[in-house]
Amino acid sequence: MFHGVYNLLSQINKTEQKLIIFSLIALAVFVSPLFILGDNAHIRVHDNLDSNIAWYRVLVESEQLTGPLDGEIPQIINGNLSRNAFGTEFSLIVWLYAFLPTMLAYALSQTITRFVAFLGMYLLLKKHFLKGEGWEAINIGTALALAFTPFWPSGMLSTLGMPLALWAFLNIRKGEKSWWNYLVLTLLPLYSSIVLGFFFFLSALGIFWLIDVVRGKGWNWGFLLSIAYMTLIFLIVEYRLVYSFLFDDEPNSRDEYFHARLTFWHCVRLTFKNFIFGHHHAATIHTLVILPVMVIALIIVLWKNLWKQEKVFVYLFFLNFVLSGWYAFWFYKGWLPLTERFHFLDTFNFARYHFLRPLIVYVLFALSLKILCSQGEIWRKSAPVIVALQVLVVSPFNEEIIFNNKPSVKEFFAEEQFSEIKEYIGRPQEEYRVASIGIHPAIAQYNGFFTLDTYNNFYPLSYKYKFRKIIEKELEKNKTIKTYFDEWGGRCYIFTAELGKHYMFKKKTKKRLENLELNIDPFKEMGGRYIFSAVPIINSSENGLVLEKIFESKKSVWKIYLYKAI
């Protein structure tokens, strides 16, 4: 890949080379806090520190990284968590965490993802959308802006790898037989997820191929086979997911996930909200600069009747809005009769077609600037400034900036503090089970404790019902947490009515639990012996708990109240 990049640089003009080198330096600066700060860096907590980062360590230490299809993870929920819930060992991100310290693995993953996003969008625009001389600043600036956008870290190239994949597919569609195209289609599945992006991308490409056929452009077997080839690679890589979907008949927590509950007008509002502001799992940061530019370009196309000349722009603009509508109306309660009849419509999140939007929005941005440039010298001179402005808008979305008010990685996992707890208990961790209140169970898991609670969306429904007995009185007191647990249950936490749906209570909190009502007998029957609480439990004795000790550390943001079940 890097040899190919070198060849590419040698074939382009000096201005383009300088812009690319500047962009690569900018990318290096963007990810540098992760390498410089290490464990002191601030990164995303939601769907990251609270889950995947801990899972990688648990998976490696469980010695189940390459375990069998019926393997289990003994450290979590008494071994009721299937090895398959942690995904495939063919994902390269797993091996980064297996061989490297946590933050070095994280930093390298961020660097790989952002570099491929930049390279893919640059190649895509240069080859297929803004060809020829004069578009260097737009192509490279758009690619850099995309590479700066936030993305779900453990999704890796699931969204930001789409531009490179589309570049390869469009090359094949044109009849090119370069081995580079198939190398891209082979490698991307090793660093992305089919359910977190590429299922929707590949199915959309299948529709694109079908449209070509209907329009009389021929069957183009090479293009169709390339789609089938990448799909096959994904199915091989994600063999655990395929096995679970086809052969695992045990009811699991996703069987009680109900998504269709919004009214029609709520969905209409959500459509425009998504179109204007985007979604945090597929962030585009397009509201301030890109959206006005797209709207102006659309007005020009409509006013000057440029439909035929700019049909790609028009189609993509329409598709962009449709994807927002699809996302919003996936949650429309009118779906209920269908979801009740076809259960997979609840268990598989088809709303994720909106994950195509980062690709579409940034291609639209480049095409919009091209349209503006056709309107005169002032617009041509303004285009590079507009691109630079978007890069500046996206730049502050660096994790170190946007999550600076969150705990650092070291403060979050608090290894020194939990090591003290482990030593105080003084027993091998596999001999007892713990649960947490007011903090994520991932923290205990990261520190080697065997937990009865967890954050996973694929575990036996029978275990959910057992765990529910512990908190059933609390759920009845608070409709929000009752609905959250019963109709999703991905967070199998000890929820309390007084704390609600919150699980990040730092050591300076004034919160207390005064009316806690746990059923401690089911907890003990499941092996539970200790509760790590981030807040004091005033009526602990009424719940069969006794306060053993309070643990604090300057290197942690938590104050842990260690309660023992008696």
Side-chain angles (χ1 to χ4, degrees):
M1 181 67 76
F2 290 103
H3 179 67
V5 173
Y6 174 79
N7 287 339
L8 178 66
L9 287 171
S10 65
Q11 296 171 9
I12 58 182
N13 62 56
K14 290 184 178 180
T15 300
E16 201 165 1
Q17 286 185 25
K18 289 178 181 178
L19 288 172
I20 290 173
I21 292 170
F22 170 81
S23 297
L24 295 178
I25 293 172
L27 275 174
V29 172
F30 192 86
V31 299
S32 63
L34 296 172
F35 291 96
I36 295 169
L37 297 175
D39 288 344
N40 292 311
H42 297 82
I43 64 176
R44 176 186 175 126
V45 173
H46 178 65
D47 286 349
N48 193 34
L49 284 176
D50 67 354
S51 48
N52 294 76
I53 300 295
W55 296 348
Y56 298 132
R57 172 175 282 199
V58 169
L59 181 59
V60 172
E61 293 184 352
S62 71
E63 299 182 353
Q64 287 289 319
L65 199 157
T66 58
L69 287 166
D70 60 353
E72 297 173 343
I73 306 298
Q75 191 183 333
I76 300 178
I77 60 176
N78 279 337
N80 284 277
L81 188 67
S82 166
R83 163 63 187 88
N84 299 338
F86 279 172
T88 178
E89 65 270 33
F90 292 134
S91 175
L92 296 181
I93 194 171
V94 172
W95 294 99
L96 282 180
Y97 283 91
F99 290 120
L100 299 173
T102 295
M103 281 310 294
L104 180 55
Y106 188 85
L108 283 174
S109 182
Q110 286 277 319
T111 303
I112 292 167
T113 303
R114 295 187 185 282
F115 171 74
V116 173
F118 170 77
L119 178 63
M121 182 56 74
Y122 166 66
L123 292 175
L124 177 65
L125 293 177
K126 181 179 174 65
K127 181 71 176 288
H128 297 287
F129 290 97
L130 273 70
K131 298 176 281 188
E133 298 288 330
W135 306 112
E136 295 86 357
I138 294 176
N139 287 342
I140 296 169
T142 301
L144 182 60
L146 175 68
F148 279 0
T149 56
F151 64 96
W152 183 48
S154 290
M156 305 159 289
L157 290 168
S158 299
T159 53
L160 293 188
M162 290 181 188
L164 187 61
L166 185 58
W167 168 78
F169 277 119
L170 291 180
N171 291 343
I172 294 169
R173 179 174 176 259
K174 285 186 172 183
E176 292 185 16
K177 298 181 179 180
S178 170
W179 64 274
W180 277 104
N181 299 323
Y182 277 92
L183 181 63
V184 166
L185 302 188
T186 304
L187 293 181
L188 277 175
L190 301 176
Y191 213 73
S192 56
S193 165
I194 192 168
V195 297
L196 296 172
F198 270 92
F199 168 84
F200 312 100
F201 177 81
L202 289 169
S203 56
L205 275 182
I207 295 171
F208 183 38
W209 172 84
L210 189 59
I211 291 172
D212 273 352
V213 174
V214 172
R215 293 173 62 201
K217 291 195 172 185
W219 290 89
N220 200 335
W221 292 108
F223 184 32
L224 178 62
L225 289 173
S226 68
I227 298 171
Y229 172 76
M230 192 179 197
T231 303
L232 177 63
I233 297 296
F234 264 115
L235 293 178
I236 294 171
V237 169
E238 301 275 12
Y239 76 99
R240 292 183 183 274
L241 178 67
V242 174
Y243 173 84
S244 297
F245 183 77
L246 294 178
F247 304 110
D248 191 345
D249 296 326
E250 181 179 11
N252 64 75
S253 54
R254 288 200 66 83
D255 289 326
E256 289 192 339
Y257 172 58
F258 304 105
H259 71 276
R261 54 165 56 94
L262 299 184
T263 67
F264 177 83
W265 290 110
H266 193 164
C267 291
V268 170
R269 291 195 299 271
L270 186 57
T271 297
F272 285 95
K273 180 182 177 181
N274 183 262
F275 180 74
I276 296 170
F277 298 107
H279 186 279
H280 68 98
H281 273 159
T284 48
I285 320 299
H286 67 283
T287 309
L288 293 178
V289 176
I290 297 179
L291 184 59
V293 169
M294 287 194 302
V295 171
I296 293 171
L298 181 64
I299 292 171
I300 291 172
V301 169
L302 295 175
W303 186 263
K304 298 197 173 183
N305 197 24
L306 301 176
W307 295 89
K308 290 184 178 180
Q309 300 94 308
E310 304 297 345
K311 60 183 178 181
V312 174
F313 168 82
V314 174
Y315 292 153
L316 288 179
F317 192 99
F318 174 74
L319 178 59
N320 184 34
F321 186 80
V322 167
L323 289 174
S324 290
W326 174 266
Y327 161 75
F329 277 88
W330 182 250
F331 303 99
Y332 176 48
K333 61 184 181 182
W335 282 100
L336 275 174
L338 278 176
T339 59
E340 289 171 355
R341 184 172 181 181
F342 303 104
H343 187 51
F344 73 92
L345 294 176
D346 260 329
T347 57
F348 190 83
N349 190 355
F350 284 96
R352 286 176 177 162
Y353 272 104
H354 76 101
F355 281 15
L356 295 170
R357 292 194 68 221
L359 165 66
I360 293 170
V361 164
Y362 278 83
V363 170
L364 272 172
F365 181 44
L367 291 177
S368 299
L369 290 172
K370 180 183 178 183
I371 292 169
L372 265 57
C373 287
S374 68
Q375 302 306 301
E377 185 67 20
I378 295 177
W379 282 113
R380 279 195 294 273
K381 290 181 178 179
S382 299
V385 177
I386 295 172
V387 173
L389 186 59
Q390 176 62 19
V391 172
L392 289 174
V393 167
V394 179
S395 297
F397 284 84
N398 186 292
E399 284 187 294
E400 189 58 37
I401 297 173
I402 60 177
F403 298 121
N404 194 256
N405 63 333
K406 302 292 185 182
S408 69
V409 176
K410 179 184 289 185
E411 291 172 329
F412 184 85
F413 286 124
E415 292 184 76
E416 183 180 288
Q417 184 180 21
F418 279 81
S419 179
E420 291 177 9
I421 297 174
K422 174 187 172 183
E423 291 175 12
Y424 176 84
I425 294 174
R427 296 169 56 191
Q429 289 171 301
E430 66 272 14
E431 290 186 359
Y432 58 92
R433 302 294 180 264
V434 306
S436 301
I437 295 177
I439 58 171
H440 296 284
I443 300 169
Q445 292 166 1
Y446 189 86
N447 286 285
F449 289 95
F450 284 57
T451 69
L452 294 178
D453 47 356
T454 191
Y455 177 17
N456 289 98
N457 64 3
F458 185 73
Y459 64 94
L461 204 55
S462 58
Y463 185 86
K464 178 181 174 181
Y465 294 157
K466 284 182 183 179
F467 189 89
R468 192 187 190 282
K469 293 178 182 178
I470 302 171
I471 57 173
E472 61 184 0
K473 293 179 183 177
E474 291 296 311
L475 296 183
E476 291 305 318
K477 294 189 289 185
N478 186 312
K479 184 179 178 181
T480 298
I481 60 174
K482 185 177 187 294
T483 301
Y484 190 59
F485 186 86
D486 288 344
E487 297 189 14
W488 182 52
R491 293 194 190 273
C492 189
Y493 287 18
I494 294 187
F495 287 110
T496 69
E498 292 170 276
L499 300 183
K501 257 178 61 179
H502 300 284
Y503 16 78
M504 285 275 289
F505 291 94
K506 301 177 186 177
K507 57 188 173 184
K508 293 183 180 180
T509 183
K510 301 298 182 183
K511 278 281 187 180
R512 318 187 320 165
L513 286 172
E514 298 181 358
N515 301 295
L516 182 65
E517 291 185 83
L518 297 181
N519 292 326
I520 208 65
D521 287 338
F523 176 75
K524 291 193 292 184
E525 288 167 8
M526 295 166 73
R529 290 297 175 265
Y530 296 95
I531 287 180
F532 301 157
S533 181
V535 299
I537 303 174
I538 305 305
N539 65 333
S540 58
S541 61
E542 296 174 19
N543 288 275
L545 299 171
V546 61
L547 178 62
E548 290 274 294
K549 190 176 179 181
I550 301 172
F551 294 85
E552 287 192 77
S553 171
K554 292 181 180 179
K555 298 179 181 179
S556 165
V557 293
W558 320 115
K559 178 187 286 187
I560 302 300
Y561 297 81
L562 178 65
Y563 290 94
K564 185 176 182 179
I566 55 175

